[in-house]
Amino acid sequence: MISVKMELHITILSLTIVLSTTAEFDHEAYEFTACSDTKEEVFIGYDEEELWHADFTLKRGVDTSPDVIDPITFPGFYELAVDGIKGCKRDLPVFLDYFRSIPLEEDAPQTFVYPKDVVQLGVQNTLICHVTGFFPPSLSISWTKNNMNVTEGMSLSQYRPRTDATFNIFSTLMFTPVEGDIYSCTVNHRALQGQQQTKTWDVDAVLPSVGPAVFCGVGLTLGLLGVAVGTFFLIKGYNCN
């Protein structure tokens, strides 16, 4: 049984799911189409991984399949996506009117912040804010650096459906790690009932501590010095005898 949630006054969702079942595995391939007065998304996925999406700004399809698999092409799919959005926009007023009184089930998001690469001071990196498990697919994400809002270097992915009918979204921020800097990702979603969800990330917290290394280095140096001094006096004593 597949449960489908819909926030019809924001977005009309069209989700086609194909199940391929073997004795050991269940797989899901799907086409996701969404539209509202201001948003339009179409993409194709497999087991919660996006393979292709329509870029309506660049007016072309974008292959996003992982590098570890053979390239997959989707000829003619952008034109189909354009037609699908036209139909979605055409039917939107009807669905808005018909489903206006249906109560919505809401799921609050969970947020995680982590760097893309190993952190090195002064080396440009990317912070990822992964927001998952939320419904409906409408939220806002903002970044701060040392409590100051930042927008430069920020990007936002499309909403991506999960098999449990909730959604994922990713926001990224380009940054150069500097000792002492603190970043935060703040999420606003209706299921949070007016409470913001903020996750912080501290540059110092992920850098290796130099204290133990310095302590061990000093201890080793003193130890070697002690051995040298002891050897010197041992040789002097032997010569005196």
Side-chain angles (χ1 to χ4, degrees):
M1 179 178 179
I2 300 172
S3 62
V4 179
K5 306 173 181 178
M6 304 180 71
E7 187 191 20
L8 290 164
H9 67 282
I10 296 291
T11 307
I12 297 296
L13 306 178
S14 173
L15 185 62
T16 302
I17 298 179
V18 179
L19 298 181
S20 173
T21 305
T22 67
E24 297 180 358
F25 302 103
D26 289 341
H27 297 286
E28 292 184 350
Y30 53 86
E31 175 189 352
F32 173 78
T33 301
C35 73
S36 70
D37 292 337
T38 58
K39 298 178 182 179
E40 45 194 40
E41 291 186 14
V42 176
F43 71 84
I44 297 170
Y46 184 78
D47 285 350
E48 297 192 4
E49 293 289 341
E50 180 187 302
L51 300 179
W52 179 94
H53 73 262
D55 189 321
F56 295 107
T57 301
L58 298 178
K59 301 185 184 305
R60 64 181 180 87
V62 179
D63 177 13
T64 56
S65 57
D67 296 335
V68 295
I69 67 174
D70 294 333
I72 301 175
T73 59
F74 298 87
F77 271 60
Y78 178 76
E79 290 73 20
L80 292 173
V82 171
D83 290 340
I85 290 296
K86 288 180 180 178
C88 184
K89 296 271 191 180
R90 182 188 62 244
D91 297 335
L92 185 60
V94 176
F95 283 106
L96 287 174
D97 184 63
Y98 184 78
F99 291 99
R100 197 177 302 275
S101 61
I102 293 181
L104 296 176
E105 180 181 348
E106 299 178 355
D107 294 296
Q110 298 181 31
T111 304
F112 307 91
V113 179
Y114 50 90
K116 179 181 178 182
D117 301 312
V118 175
V119 176
Q120 301 179 58
L121 292 178
V123 178
Q124 191 177 66
N125 206 328
T126 302
L127 270 182
I128 300 172
C129 184
H130 178 202
V131 187
T132 186
F134 60 90
F135 186 87
S138 178
L139 53 72
S140 64
I141 299 176
S142 60
W143 288 91
T144 66
K145 173 185 176 182
N146 300 330
N147 295 321
M148 300 292 293
N149 290 329
V150 290
T151 57
E152 185 176 355
M154 173 185 171
S155 65
L156 191 66
S157 74
Q158 295 181 320
Y159 293 105
R160 294 169 177 163
R162 293 159 37 107
T163 55
D164 62 359
T166 62
F167 285 80
N168 285 320
I169 196 169
F170 295 85
S171 179
T172 60
L173 180 69
M174 300 294 294
F175 78 111
T176 301
V178 175
E179 194 170 357
D181 281 349
I182 299 176
Y183 292 84
S184 68
C185 174
T186 298
V187 176
N188 285 286
H189 185 269
R190 58 185 296 166
L192 297 173
Q193 300 180 350
Q195 301 294 318
Q196 294 181 333
Q197 187 175 91
T198 299
K199 296 293 182 179
T200 61
W201 185 86
D202 188 342
V203 173
D204 293 343
V206 299
L207 292 176
S209 174
V210 298
V214 171
F215 178 80
C216 290
V218 172
L220 179 61
T221 301
L222 291 176
L224 292 175
L225 181 60
V227 171
V229 171
T231 302
F232 171 77
F233 282 111
L234 181 62
I235 293 173
K236 291 290 288 183
Y238 177 79
N239 291 335
C240 289
N241 293 331

